[in-house]
């Protein structure tokens, strides 16, 4: 039984530029519809229902907690590796508490450094393919405690999911005469409830979908501070901090992966309302200046233009922002990196931008920039996914594999510096910080110049006023002298 959905998106994780996607079977499915142009590896962490590329956490709404700006640390952000010092245990990192109008949510209880693994858990309920009615059987086999945990998750039934029809036509045996009409109705409601909870709380889990006791509690933000991914090496869902998270901040992921990152507010609001039943109020959606929308719209055009530059386009319509040379493609990819950081998108999309910039730079023979961007990709990937990346290394898709390619290319070209001279290259974020500092300095100098000009203008006006008053006084003095000398002529 196919689910109607006209949304087309990409999965959230591990979509690299050189592989294609597969279309999942359609029966009674989550509404995620993978892009036909990008293949998802097994570590994809795309939420599986909702915005057609997003799965629901607690499903109770978005969060703007802890996001006083789209990325307040943009000028300071560095894609540093996961911390090597001893980190707090998971139980010390977060707590689950009620939020008015949003249900239960996860909050940091202490400083969580960038790259920290916050959650690592096995599935609560898993199905092998994207067919929602398959969730009923595993649910029935859960323990009472597990059922209580599952039932406490948010329920939402999107209009385009015909769950009741699936229950009556697929799950209930019409030849089972042991059930009377009342029993059937009660069973239908239970099955719809289970499918609805699974639909808006599941995440991609290897080749199937799964709901998690803790991970599924995370709310959505269009500027997330954590990244989730299923790790097939340890067979657990992991959640990592993509930036430093302060105590008291809500832990928020994004339900809109892949191209959903580039949606403007209206597109995001529509998708989240249709698939999760809430209106996002994160810092990006609350931006009244329009800067966030303008930036995301421009990033979308740039990213699509780069894709067309790489793979060409089958569309007869002209495509904007397609670079006409590798040099311009590199510049465009670096611009995308800067804007992603400024917007606070510090997850896999940033990895992809670094990879593309590195690939183009290597093709141009700009080995230092190729190495620099490859290094940054490796660090961001580690922040998002952790250090256990065996599956990506085995498939050749990981950032470490690409870094090795760059290393070998530099070695072959004879431009690899001696080990003693190797140093950590400046990341794009460091360059951005320098760029912003330079712009800030220029702005300060310009502001000082304008102040001096204003002060000079005020002084000039004051001098002109004093001169006018002095002239009036001099004229009055001369008039008095004239009146005194010729009293008969007065008046």
């Amino acid at each position: 039984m196919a689910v109607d959905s006209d949304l087309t998106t990409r999965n959230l994780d591990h979509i690299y530029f050189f592989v294609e996607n597969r279309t999942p079977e359609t029966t009674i499915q989550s509404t995620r519809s993978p892009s036909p142009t990008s293949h998802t590896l097994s570590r994809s962490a795309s939420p599986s229902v909702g915005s057609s590329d997003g799965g629901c956490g607690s499903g109770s709404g978005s969060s703007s907690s802890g996001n006083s700006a789209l990325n307040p640390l943009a000028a300071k952000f560095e894609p540093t590796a996961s911390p090597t010092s001893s980190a707090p245990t998971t139980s010390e990192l977060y707590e689950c508490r009620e939020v008015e109008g949003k249900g239960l949510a996860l909050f940091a209880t202490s400083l969580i450094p960038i790259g920290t693994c916050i959650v690592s858990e096995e599935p609560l309920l898993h199905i092998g393919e994207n067919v929602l009615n398959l969730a009923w059987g595993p649910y029935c086999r859960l323990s009472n405690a597990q059922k209580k945990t599952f039932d406490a998750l948010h329920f939402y039934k999107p209009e385009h999911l015909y769950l009741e029809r699936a229950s009556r036509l697929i799950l209930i045996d019409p030849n089972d005469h042991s059930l009377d009409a009342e029993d059937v109705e009660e069973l239908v409601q239970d099955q719809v409830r289970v499918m609805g909870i699974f639909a808006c709380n599941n995440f991609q889990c290897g080749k199937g979908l799964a709901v998690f006791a803790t991970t599924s509690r995370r709310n959505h933000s269009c500027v997330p501070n954590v990244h989730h991914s299923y790790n097939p090496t340890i067979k657990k869902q992991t959640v990592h901090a993509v930036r430093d998270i302060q105590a008291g901040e809500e832990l928020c992921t994004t339900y809109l992966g892949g191209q959903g990152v580039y949606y403007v507010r209206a597109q995001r609001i529509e998708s989240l309302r249709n698939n999760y039943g809430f209106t996002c109020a994160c810092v990006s959606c609350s931006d009244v200046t329009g800067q966030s929308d303008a930036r995301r719209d421009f990033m979308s055009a740039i990213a699509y233009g780069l894709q067309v530059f790489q793979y060409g386009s089958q569309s007869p319509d002209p495509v904007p922002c397609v670079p006409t040379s590798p040099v311009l493609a590199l510049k465009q990819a670096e611009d995308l990196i800067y804007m992603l950081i400024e917007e606070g998108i510090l997850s896999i999309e940033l990895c992809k931008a670094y990879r593309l910039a590195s690939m183009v730079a290597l093709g141009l023979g700009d080995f230092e920039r190729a190495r620099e961007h490859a290094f940054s990709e490796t660090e961001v990937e580690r922040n998002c996914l952790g250090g256990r990346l065996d599956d990506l290394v085995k498939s050749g898709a990981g950032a470490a594999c690409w870094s090795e390619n760059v290393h070998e290319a530099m070695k072959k070209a004879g431009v690899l510096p001696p080990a003693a001279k190797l140093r950590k290259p400046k990341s794009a974020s460091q360059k951005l910080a320098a760029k912003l500092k330079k712009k800030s300095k220029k702005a300060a100098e310009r502001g000082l110049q304008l102040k001096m000009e204003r002060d000079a203008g005020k002084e000039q006006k004051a001098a002109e006023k004093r001169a006018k008053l002095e002239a009036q006084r001099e004229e009055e003095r001369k008039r008095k002298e004239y009146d005194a000398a010729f009293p008969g002529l007065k008046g």
Side-chain angles (χ1 to χ4, degrees), residues 439-452:
K439 288 174 66 176
S440 177
K441 183 179 179 182
K442 286 185 177 180
E445 291 175 349
R446 178 58 179 162
L448 180 60
Q449 182 181 355
L450 291 174
K451 184 177 183 301
M452 292 174 62

Side-chain angles (χ1 to χ4, degrees), residues 60 95-107 152 217:
S60 47
E95 63 181 358
C96 185
R97 66 173 187 254
E98 189 81 19
V99 180
E100 184 178 356
K102 293 170 56 178
L104 293 173
L106 304 181
F107 290 84
R217 283 287 178 199

